[in-house]
Amino acid sequence: RSVYDDQPNAHQRFMEKLDACIRNHDREIEKMCNFHHQGFVDAITELLKVRADAEKLKVQVTDTNRKLQDAGKEVIAQTEEIIRCRVQQRNITTVVEKLQLCLPVLEMYSKLKEQMKVKRYYSALKTMEQLENLYLPRVSQYRFCQIMIENLPKLREEIKEISMSDLKDFLESIRKHSDRIGETAMKQAQQQKTFSTALQKQNNVNYGRNMHLGRSRILESKNEITLKRTFEEDDEHEEEVLTAQDLVDFSPVYRCLHIYSVLGDGEIFENYYRKQRRKQARLVLQPQSSMHETVEGYRRYFSQIVGFFVVEDHILHVTQGLVTRTYTDELWNMALSKIIAVLRTHSSYCSDPDLVLELKNLIVVFADTLQGYGFPVNRLFDLLFEIRDQYNETLLKKWSGLFRDIFEADNYSPIPVANEEEYKIVISKFPFQDPELDKQSFPKKLPMSQSVPQIYIQVKEFIYASLKFSESLHRSSTEIDDMLRKSTNLLLTRTLSSCLQNLIKKPHIGLTELVQIIINTTHLEQACKYLEDFISNITNISQVTVHTARLYGLSTFKDARHAAEGEIYTKLNQKIDEFIQIADYDWTMSESDGRASGYLMDLINFLRSTFQVFTHLPGKVAQTACMSACQHLSTSLMQMLLDGELKQISMGAIQQFNLDVIQCELFASSEPVPGFQGDTLQLAFIDLRQLLDLFMVWDWSTYLADYGQATSKYLRVSPSTALTLLEKMKDSSKKNNIFAQFRKNDRDKQKLIETVVKQLRSLVNGMSQHT
């Protein structure tokens, strides 16, 4: 680089120096060659001398070789014969050794064929493994061994196919027998629970503790066998306890699992088994469309599910890894969700409380059985609380029909008792206490009608029916007590209340029946405390407990009484209206008959007899009914007098109407219902009385002069009412006195009426403007 990068003449100088160096090396080479040349010449000279001796030696060697060859021909022939014999001997030894190696292989292969023939597939796989790993590698160079090696995979596939076929047969078998397996497991769970319950009672152990079943077999002790014989006295022979292993041959699963494990396909087998079992689980969980119609449908459904999971539990504990606890838990959670959905759907179709109760018992046995095998069942017991509400609804519907039938069959008359025996029979059915009635001699009558003890008995029966569902739910006595009280409250406040309300509204229920209904509800209300005691005795929970619910029967029967009282007022008014409708007044009569109208006397007689029936009612109810009737009668009479379709009223008609109102006042003053103070009842007719007095006395000057004052004699007569009635009398006077204009008195009266009419109109107009 320095040569090229230096000055322009540097290259030339470099080449000159290089040529000088070459010349120096050439001179050194010449010197070296000249130094060694003499030695080379000497070596050539020596070689020329040796050449002659070498020719002589070659001839001698050739002659010696010829002589040796001729002398060794016989030795060579003997030697070749020895060699041939030695080779044969070695081959024989080799054949013997190879045959000794091949014979075990052939024997093992023959053994393999025999094992395949007798279906000992697991042993056959072990033999194949020995052949492949130990025997065949020693003789792998032989053609028959290659054939064997090629056949072994085929034999393995054949074994896999056969074992898989056996597994499929096994799966089909357990699919058929799952209901029987489940039924047996549930029966064992029931027997174990019965035994545990009896044992707990015998040893004073807390009632209701969960007892778990063994996973593979329920072993019975001598005490269990003795107790079982007690429970099954009708059976001639004690039934042997069966398990899933007794009912199903699990050997195909074990064989198949071992075979696939040996073949290294254990994971494939596990996946296949689990996949097939999942499919079977979906089939098992699929309910029949008519399952909800009979309890047998539910029992078969539960038995199949229990059988399925009993088999899985058995497989879990007798195999390693084929199924795991995680897998069974996952499968159970999936099944549990499906079971709950199915039960929700199908149980909603159940309208028979007995069927719902049997379904509950089946669910409890189902849950207890699977809980004994380690499956969580809390969600099933939560579902039972939902079904309990539905059960209560079916009970309420059933008892609604019972209540209706009781009310329909009742005669709504006090219960007659002829002697002490009959009295005790009634008292045994209904808690009735009346010291005054006890003092009376027989025969006598109890105030309530026959429906009261029947209703009371049915309420107790409802409590018993509700209790049946609460049993075996693994709940405390306090929770059961609370459930009973809540369901009883629903029966009283909804079902019985609705039946009472519908009964009160029925057209055929008259005043007498309504009075009896009020008396009945009073006694039923008083009996509510006995129902609370009845529930407390059943559950052993004191009523003083803080969380104890109370019965709401008090409000139920009060509402029913109020409705009955309102219906009494309505029917009284309707009856009054019926009498009023048959009134036949001659509004143009010249003078009255001198006695009250017949329809009104009939009405008053009816009211008298009706109010006599009211003596059994509470005082305020009878007084309110009487006051309401008088007010309605007064209002109806006033409306009749002021009816817009009535155009003319004569003075004679007014006098006749006055006689009828006097009879009403006499009725009011006769105190048809005791308890009124002073003339309180007569005040119901005060409006009519003042109006009629005004027209009877014709005291218009006083009315007009005192109008608007608190001390007015006719304070309850409004100008509009007086004007309406006066105009009707005015029109009647004009029509009946065509020639009255020729008589001075009549003319003066007509002028007076016109003057009063004008003044009343001015008063009415003034009131309108003021308003």
Side-chain angles (χ1 to χ4, degrees), residues 163-223:
S163 62
M164 185 58 67
S165 176
D166 291 343
L167 177 67
K168 291 178 180 178
D169 294 340
F170 164 78
L171 293 174
E172 182 65 25
S173 173
I174 60 174
R175 174 73 181 92
K176 293 179 180 179
H177 292 85
S178 60
D179 55 343
R180 188 181 173 194
I181 298 171
E183 185 178 355
T184 303
M186 290 172 70
K187 184 178 180 181
Q188 293 171 3
Q190 242 177 334
Q191 292 173 350
Q192 182 73 5
K193 186 175 181 181
T194 304
F195 168 76
S196 301
T197 302
L199 190 61
Q200 288 169 1
K201 288 182 178 180
Q202 181 180 358
N203 297 331
N204 294 323
V205 180
N206 292 331
Y207 182 71
R209 185 184 304 165
N210 292 336
M211 299 298 293
H212 299 292
L213 299 176
R215 288 188 175 94
S216 61
R217 179 181 292 271
I218 301 173
L219 299 176
E220 293 184 338
S221 65
K222 294 181 179 179
N223 292 334

Side-chain angles (χ1 to χ4, degrees), residues 256-278:
C256 201
L257 176 60
H258 291 159
I259 288 169
Y260 272 77
S261 299
V262 169
L263 295 176
D265 293 335
E267 186 176 353
I268 295 175
F269 172 72
E270 291 171 9
N271 294 333
Y272 176 81
Y273 176 83
R274 295 178 185 182
K275 181 180 179 181
Q276 294 301 317
R277 288 297 279 165
R278 282 194 181 95

Side-chain angles (χ1 to χ4, degrees), residues 77-93:
Q78 293 295 327
T79 302
E80 288 179 352
E81 182 66 22
I82 292 172
I83 290 172
R84 187 180 63 81
C85 291
R86 294 273 178 88
V87 170
Q88 286 182 350
Q89 186 178 6
R90 187 173 63 248
N91 287 342
I92 291 171
T93 302

Side-chain angles (χ1 to χ4, degrees), residues 334-553:
M334 180 273 292
L336 191 58
S337 300
K338 179 66 175 177
I339 292 167
I340 291 175
V342 167
L343 291 178
R344 276 203 186 104
T345 302
H346 284 264
S347 63
S348 62
Y349 298 130
C350 296
S351 58
D352 182 7
D354 295 333
L355 180 58
V356 178
L357 184 61
E358 290 181 353
L359 172 60
K360 168 256 173 183
N361 293 331
L362 279 176
I363 293 176
V364 170
V365 175
F366 173 73
D368 288 342
T369 304
L370 288 174
Q371 189 176 30
Y373 285 91
F375 296 100
V377 294
N378 291 334
R379 291 173 61 188
L380 283 173
F381 284 101
D382 294 337
L383 173 66
L384 282 175
F385 281 94
E386 298 179 21
I387 297 178
R388 178 179 60 85
D389 296 335
Q390 181 187 343
Y391 175 72
N392 285 336
E393 289 297 325
T394 58
L395 285 182
L396 292 175
K397 290 180 181 179
K398 179 179 179 179
W399 258 257
S400 177
L402 293 174
F403 288 154
R404 284 197 300 268
D405 294 340
I406 290 172
F407 288 139
E408 288 293 334
D410 195 9
N411 58 6
Y412 297 97
S413 301
I415 301 175
V417 287
N419 49 49
E420 182 72 22
E421 185 179 352
E422 292 183 4
Y423 180 74
K424 289 181 179 179
I425 291 174
V426 177
I427 297 302
S428 64
K429 296 178 181 178
F430 182 76
F432 174 75
Q433 294 178 355
D434 188 350
E436 295 297 328
L437 187 64
D438 291 341
K439 295 177 183 179
Q440 297 178 14
S441 59
F442 292 100
K444 53 188 175 183
K445 291 184 178 181
L446 302 180
M448 79 289 289
S449 66
Q450 192 63 45
S451 63
V452 172
Q454 293 177 353
I455 291 292
Y456 184 79
I457 291 172
Q458 287 303 323
V459 172
K460 291 173 67 175
E461 290 296 328
F462 176 86
I463 294 172
Y464 277 127
S466 182
L467 177 65
K468 288 180 181 179
F469 195 94
S470 301
E471 294 174 342
S472 304
L473 292 186
H474 309 308
R475 289 293 185 259
S476 64
S477 299
T478 303
E479 291 175 305
I480 294 176
D481 182 88
D482 187 60
M483 286 187 286
L484 287 181
R485 292 177 186 273
K486 287 181 179 179
S487 58
T488 307
N489 278 330
L490 280 177
L491 177 72
L492 296 177
T493 58
R494 195 171 77 184
T495 305
L496 182 56
S497 177
S498 175
C499 291
L500 283 171
Q501 296 291 342
N502 293 334
L503 174 67
I504 291 168
K505 297 295 182 182
K506 287 188 176 181
H508 70 276
I509 298 297
L511 293 170
T512 305
E513 288 80 4
L514 289 171
V515 171
Q516 187 62 54
I517 289 172
I518 292 175
I519 297 170
N520 290 348
T521 54
T522 303
H523 289 284
L524 287 172
E525 178 184 337
Q526 295 171 354
C528 283
K529 62 179 182 180
Y530 296 101
L531 289 175
E532 290 188 342
D533 294 338
F534 177 72
I535 295 175
S536 297
N537 292 333
I538 291 176
T539 59
N540 292 324
I541 298 297
S542 175
Q543 294 187 36
V544 298
T545 305
V546 177
H547 302 289
T548 301
R550 293 290 182 266
L551 297 183
Y552 306 135

